Amino acid sequence: MAQNTATPTSAVASARTRAGLLTAVAVLLIALNLRLGMSSAAALLDALRADLGFSPLVAALLPTLPSLCFAAAGAGTGALARRLGAERAVLAAVGALTAGLAVRAVPATWALLAGTVLGMSGLALCNVLLPTLVRTYFPGRVGLLTGLYTTTLALGATLASAVAVPVAVAVGSPSLGLAVWALPALAATVVWGARTGIRTPGVTMPSVQGERISPWAMARTRLGALVTAYFGLQALNAYAITGWLPSLLSGHGMSGGAAGVVLAVAQAVGIPVSFAVLALAKGPAGLRGAFAVVSAAMLAGFTGLLVAPMTMPLVWAVLVGLGLCSFPLVLTVIAQSGSGPAQTTALSTLSQSLGYLLAASGPLAVGLLHDATGGWTAPMALLLATAAAQLAAGIALTRGRP
């Protein structure tokens, strides 16, 4: 009899292990796609403008659209997750990402903009729901899984920045070069679809159906306000610099391919450093130190790009890359906050919808300031101010944190 009762238990444990491994692989594959479409567009911005002939306003709008989509679509993520369940919502999101990237193969400005809106709206849903999925599936390994998927995200961003220009040359146009990145998104859709179809005994499905915590109630708390402020400022700085760094360097005489490589270096820094930063962030004092280090590094990198952009561009890129590690830090705070998945989703929705709305002003302001002044001094001076504000918000967020 003991053997008969042990067999089902063993089967359930085995099924749970397989489901956990497939979930981890699927989450990491989605993370790989979270910056491919954005980083490739940044590296190809000048080539797209030359090929499609769009206006300076469209050139300023294109790096801004992801943040606007993240703000708009992210605000409705909680309602969609309650209606479909978290897993099906993510499946719909990666499907939208795949379709949006594929649409950008059409060599027309309308297709570029429409595909960006659709694809980035899918990304918005993934951005909000991934912390909830990580907390639900891996409650004892939130830091590890957050580090893994933010590292994978940085790997995708690095890959796209480094090879976007050669890929576009190989396929014959920048529009087709953008559409190539629909292929890994399709792979993520297929794998996550396989995960969504698994229903095994003993494996808890992530769901916030029947639970409702208003994100706006979180906005009235100190934690909600500070997380949102920090998230918005780090996203503003990140999207402004990754969206315009190749153009800034090209404007100072660097080739497009080399400028893409410098951007790749900035994004590659996060691959080994994210785990070190998250390891440093153990305990209140470590968390405070980690927030201060990454924000100060971003401030130093921006200073170098303002004062002497071509003197040591790789040094500035490394400092900026260290600054980009603020993203996994704030995600860890979000994933570890709240009394359960519903509250985590509410905080994630609040910080990412309002935060990305603030972030959208960064790339747009940089583009418009550059077009108005014909140089990069005013845009970089603006980013210096926002980097200083990010540092102050990080110190406030970690002050008195238990």
Side-chain angles (χ1 to χ4, degrees):
M1 291 295 292
Q3 185 176 1
N4 291 337
T5 57
T7 300
T9 303
S10 176
V12 168
S14 178
R16 186 183 296 115
T17 299
R18 289 196 303 271
L21 287 174
L22 182 57
T23 301
V25 170
V27 166
L28 295 180
L29 190 53
I30 291 172
L32 181 68
N33 283 275
L34 290 184
R35 294 297 179 269
L36 291 178
M38 296 167 55
S39 296
S40 56
L44 292 170
L45 181 58
D46 290 341
L48 287 165
R49 186 171 180 180
D51 190 56
L52 301 180
F54 48 73
S55 67
L57 178 60
V58 173
L61 180 62
L62 188 60
T64 306
L65 278 177
S67 297
L68 289 174
C69 293
F70 292 170
T77 301
L80 183 66
R82 285 192 300 274
R83 186 178 183 85
L84 300 179
E87 284 189 335
R88 291 189 183 91
V90 170
L91 181 60
V94 290
L97 169 63
T98 303
L101 295 181
V103 165
R104 300 201 297 189
V106 179
T109 300
W110 69 264
L112 176 63
L113 296 177
T116 298
V117 169
L118 178 60
M120 297 307 107
S121 295
L123 280 187
L125 300 177
C126 293
N127 279 337
V128 173
L129 289 173
L130 277 178
T132 301
L133 291 171
V134 167
R135 175 173 180 152
T136 303
Y137 276 118
F138 310 101
R141 297 181 175 88
V142 170
L144 174 62
L145 263 294
T146 300
L148 283 173
Y149 88 70
T150 53
T151 298
T152 306
L153 181 152
L155 180 62
T158 302
L159 175 67
S161 299
V163 307
V165 173
V167 166
V169 171
V171 299
S173 82
S175 297
L176 285 177
L178 285 182
V180 165
W181 302 103
L183 296 177
L186 178 61
T189 304
V190 171
V191 174
W192 188 259
R195 176 62 191 92
T196 303
I198 291 178
R199 293 293 181 266
T200 51
V203 178
T204 302
M205 296 296 110
S207 174
V208 290
Q209 289 178 303
E211 299 180 71
R212 183 170 185 175
I213 297 177
S214 170
W216 316 119
M218 296 295 297
R220 294 191 288 271
T221 67
R222 180 180 183 273
L223 174 66
L226 286 175
V227 167
T228 300
Y230 188 86
F231 191 98
L233 287 165
Q234 66 83 26
L236 184 157
N237 291 324
Y239 290 128
I241 199 63
T242 57
W244 287 106
L245 181 59
S247 296
L248 182 155
L249 296 172
S250 297
H252 284 90
M254 186 177 290
S255 70
V261 170
V262 173
L263 176 58
V265 168
Q267 294 170 321
V269 168
I271 296 172
V273 172
S274 289
F275 281 104
V277 169
L278 289 171
L280 173 64
K282 298 291 179 62
L287 186 67
R288 195 156 43 247
F291 268 88
V293 166
V294 298
S295 300
M298 183 71 83
L299 189 63
F302 285 180
T303 300
L305 289 171
L306 171 63
V307 176
M310 299 302 291
T311 303
M312 296 185 294
L314 291 178
V315 172
W316 314 141
V318 168
L319 288 169
V320 167
L322 180 56
L324 294 177
C325 291
S326 56
F327 180 63
L329 275 177
V330 73
L331 280 186
T332 300
V333 170
I334 292 170
Q336 292 177 340
S337 298
S339 58
Q343 197 168 76
T344 301
T345 299
L347 180 60
S348 186
T349 300
L350 170 71
S351 60
Q352 297 200 44
S353 57
L354 292 186
Y356 280 125
L357 189 61
L358 171 63
S361 63
L364 183 62
V366 167
L368 294 178
L369 274 175
H370 171 62
D371 188 57
T373 63
W376 292 101
T377 300
M380 288 310 305
L382 173 65
L383 291 182
L384 272 180
T386 55
Q390 176 186 330
L391 177 59
I395 292 172
L397 174 61
T398 55
R399 184 183 296 124
R401 186 174 173 83

